[in-house]
Amino acid sequence: MIVWSGHQFRTRAEELEALWARLPGDATEVLVVMEPTRNAWVPLAAWFRRRGATVVLVPAEQSADLRAYYAKHTKTDRLDAELLARLPLLHPDGLHPETTNGPGDPLKRAVKIRSGLVHRRTACMQRLDALLEILGPDWVAALGSDMTQTAFKFLAGWANPHQVKRLGRARLARWFQRQTRKAWGERRADAVVMAAEATLALWGPTGLDYEALAADIATEASLALELSRQIARLDERLFDLYCDADPDHILLSVPGVGKILAAQIRGRLGDPRRFTSLAAARSFSGLIPHQHSSGLTDATGGPTKHGDACLREALFLAADHARKTDPTLAARYQRLMCQTGRHHTSALCTIATVLCTRIVACLRNNTPYQLRDVDGSPITPAQGRAIVAERYQIPAEIRAARRTISNTRSRHRRRDERIEQGVAKRSTMTPVPPASLTPAASLDNH
C-alpha cells in the first residue's frame, strides 16, 4: 500500500529532514530503495544511513525491465518511484544493502581515474605512431615502439627532421645520455639522425610541411608526457590507499598481481563479504558467460560484461601473468587452448574467472594465496614458473591455428545471429516473372 507519493525534494539537509518527518511515527525500520544514477545517490545514501535506515541500490537495467512490464512506453519519475517502492514485495531476493559510499571511496575512485589516464595515454601513443608514419618507417624503429618518456620529450621538441640534422649526432647523443642516465647514447642518436635523413630523402626538402607536422606531433607528445607524470604521481597515492584497505597484503600474495593491480582489484571489488556467494562475486565481475537454456537446448555465449569494467580489466591482466606462475591455472589454460580449441582471449577470461573466485575466497578468509602444483603440493613462485615452462607451454602452431579458427567462427556466428534475430533469408526466386508468364504476354499470344 502506498501511504503517500508525489513528494519532491533536493539533496539538501533541510529538505531531507522534511522528508524524514513525513514517515509514519510507528515505523521501526526504514528501507530506502534507490537507483544509482551517476553519483547523486552517494550523499543521499550517506544521509539516510546516518539516520539508521537501510539503503538498497537497484541496477537501472533491473528497474527498467520492471517498468516495461507495467508501462512499456511510459517513463516518468512518479512511475519510477512507485516501482522502487514496490520492489521489496515484487523481488525481495534482488535487494542487496549498500553499506559503502561507492564513488565516495577514495581507492575506488582513484583506480578508476588511473585506468582512464592509461587509456588516454594509449590513445595519444597510437596517434603519435600514426603521425610518425607520415615521416617514414624509420622513426618508430629509432625511438622504440613502447614510447618511453624520453621519446615523448624528444618528440615534443625536435620532431622536425631539419632540426635533427642541425642538432647533429654529438649533441643529440649527449641529450639522450642526460635524459636516460646513459641508457641511451650514440647508437640511439645515430638511429634518429638516419631516420631524419631517410625522411628528407623520401619527401625532399620541401615536399612536406615539416613544421606543421612537428607541431602536431609535439602536441600529442606533450599530452602523453603529462599523462605519464600524472599516472606516476597517482601510483604513489594508490599504494598508500591500498595498504589501508588491505593491511595484510593478501592480494599481493596472488601470482600476477602487483601493487597497481592489487589496488585496482581491491578498490573496484569492494568488501568481498558483501557477496552472498562466490558465484555472486563471479557474476559481479562480468566474466561469466551468457547462458540461455530452454527445454532441451542449452546455449552459452561470451562474457556478460555486466559487472565492473575496471575490475574485469585488472583480473584479465592478472590472469595473463598468473598462468605463467601457477601450474593449476597453466594446466587449465593449456587444456582450453589445446583440447577445446579456445582462443587466447577466451581462455584468459576463464582463467580470470577462476582467479577472481580464489581472490574473493582469500579475502573473505583473510588468508594469503597458496601456490600449489596440480597434485596439491605447495611450491614457491620460482618452482611454479619452472613447472609451467616445462609442462604447459603452448606450441606456436596451435596458437596460429586457434587464431584462424576464431576468425572463421566469428564470421559464422555473425551469420547465425542474423538468422536468430529474424532477418529473412534472401529469396531464390527471380524478382520479376519471365515475360512469357506476364498477363500482357499472354494477351498478345491470344
Side-chain angles (χ1 to χ4, degrees), residues 260-310:
I260 302 303
L261 289 182
Q264 188 169 344
I265 293 173
R266 183 62 181 85
R268 304 306 298 185
L269 184 65
D271 185 8
R273 295 177 179 82
R274 65 192 176 96
F275 299 109
T276 57
S277 63
L278 295 178
R282 290 193 295 269
S283 178
F284 177 76
S285 69
L287 290 168
I288 61 173
H290 283 279
Q291 186 173 4
H292 180 77
S293 301
S294 178
L296 300 178
T297 62
D298 187 3
T300 58
T304 61
K305 297 184 181 180
H306 287 171
D308 192 287
C310 194

Side-chain angles (χ1 to χ4, degrees), residues 99 116 118 152 426 434 438 442:
T99 58
V118 171
F152 294 149
R426 186 178 297 276
T438 59
S442 302

Side-chain angles (χ1 to χ4, degrees), residues 127-190:
R127 288 192 292 267
L128 272 176
D129 187 72
L131 291 173
L132 290 176
E133 285 181 345
I134 301 176
L135 293 174
D138 296 333
W139 284 81
V140 175
L143 295 173
S145 59
D146 53 349
M147 288 290 176
T148 62
Q149 293 195 33
T150 302
F152 294 149
K153 293 177 184 178
F154 172 79
L155 293 174
W158 299 305
N160 190 330
H162 290 295
Q163 289 180 319
V164 175
K165 291 283 291 181
R166 285 194 296 267
L167 280 173
R169 287 178 170 84
R171 293 174 59 187
L172 194 55
R174 289 195 297 269
W175 185 85
F176 278 136
Q177 288 176 351
R178 288 195 305 270
Q179 295 295 326
T180 63
R181 297 180 182 178
K182 298 185 178 181
W184 288 6
E186 295 180 356
R187 183 179 300 178
R188 187 72 61 169
D190 290 339

Side-chain angles (χ1 to χ4, degrees), residues 1-4 24 82 85-86 89:
M1 180 182 65
I2 303 296
V3 178
W4 49 265
E82 183 176 349
R86 296 183 183 276
L89 299 177

Side-chain angles (χ1 to χ4, degrees), residues 39 87 102-103 105 107 128 140 172 182 199 270 353 372 379 424 427:
N39 292 339
L87 198 60
D105 179 69
L107 179 59
L128 272 176
V140 175
L172 194 55
K182 298 185 178 181
T199 299
T353 307
R372 298 181 181 274
I379 56 176
S427 175

